[in-house]
Amino acid sequence: MEMQEEVRRIRCGSGNCYLVSNGEDAVLVDTARKKYRNKILRACRPFRVRLIVLTHGHIDHVQNAAFLSRELHAPVALSERDADLLRDNLAQPLEAETLSGRLVLAASAALLRSMDFEPFVPDVCLADGDALDEYGISARIVFVPGHTDGSVAVDVAERHLFVGDALMNFLRPTVSLLYHDKSAMLESAEKISGLGSRKIYFGHGSPVQNREWTRR
């Protein structure tokens, strides 16, 4: 009998990363902040992590990428449209419209400026529709730009959708509070809604069921 993918949420302060496993093999989605690296590494050790997928290039999602790649002997995957963020996290300026968004943006500003992560070059360039079956799980990449130009989601077995910051759940589940391109962000939110029945796993906040994320 074919095993179904299992999801482990690794809570890292206000952020999350996720371990998606199918027997011995696993894919890690995002790598969180530096102070959580050992917690993430311990969670990964029981598995053969075959790929580290970065949903986008912001520091709170990539800070441990080089370290975990080295420790786990796993390649790192990112959209090439976010390659500029690995050189400068402010290369794609963010905007916020709501009060909560502006507060989050203000709180994030110093971290984004710091570039306090070990430099790395992604081993795999992700594109819309890419299958991850060769890495041990039934999943595909869904392109969801807006928060950043290269934001991606990971659709696992058409049941679990890991959206990074394309959607957020700080105070409540909503579209992204911060965005580089608002129009693209809203289109991506509609695209996620159109995927139908999925459990949505956020970069920030607890998972919820998919829903209509925008209103006309």
Side-chain angles (χ1 to χ4, degrees), residues 8 12 21 35 46 48-49 60 78 85 90 119 132 137 145 151-152 160 172 175 182 194 204 211:
R8 178 174 179 182
C12 301
S21 62
K35 62 182 177 180
R48 180 174 65 166
V49 176
D60 54 327
L78 177 75
L85 294 175
L90 299 178
L132 301 185
I137 65 169
S151 288
V152 301
H160 311 286
R172 63 183 180 86
V175 298
K182 182 180 178 180
H204 304 278
R211 60 191 64 184

Side-chain angles (χ1 to χ4, degrees), residues 78-90:
L78 177 75
S79 168
E80 64 180 353
R81 297 191 183 192
D82 270 8
D84 57 346
L85 294 175
L86 300 184
R87 298 184 293 270
D88 178 4
N89 249 205
L90 299 178

Side-chain angles (χ1 to χ4, degrees), residues 7-20 27-44 52-55 60-65 68 72 162-165 201-205 207:
V7 175
R8 178 174 179 182
R9 176 187 176 194
I10 307 172
R11 301 189 189 198
C12 301
S14 64
N16 301 308
C17 55
Y18 299 94
L19 197 61
V20 184
V27 168
L28 179 66
V29 180
D30 287 331
T31 68
R33 298 281 300 279
K34 186 184 297 184
K35 62 182 177 180
Y36 301 104
R37 59 173 47 180
N38 290 324
K39 178 179 182 178
I40 300 166
L41 187 59
R42 286 194 300 271
C44 291
I52 299 170
V53 175
L54 303 176
T55 58
D60 54 327
H61 295 255
V62 310
Q63 196 167 31
N64 292 315
L68 291 170
L72 298 169
F162 302 85
V163 300
D165 288 352
Y201 298 84
F202 304 91
H204 304 278

Side-chain angles (χ1 to χ4, degrees), residues 100-164:
S100 55
R102 290 194 293 271
L103 291 173
V104 172
L105 183 56
S108 305
L111 179 64
L112 293 173
R113 284 196 301 269
S114 73
M115 290 298 291
D116 181 24
F117 61 86
E118 182 180 348
F120 66 94
V121 176
D123 304 286
V124 178
C125 291
L126 297 173
D128 191 40
D130 282 352
L132 301 185
D133 301 64
E134 66 182 284
Y135 301 104
I137 65 169
S138 176
R140 69 183 180 96
I141 296 299
V142 180
F143 192 44
V144 287
H147 177 70
T148 66
D149 288 338
S151 288
V152 301
V154 184
D155 189 16
V156 177
E158 298 185 344
R159 297 171 55 234
H160 311 286
L161 189 71
F162 302 85
V163 300

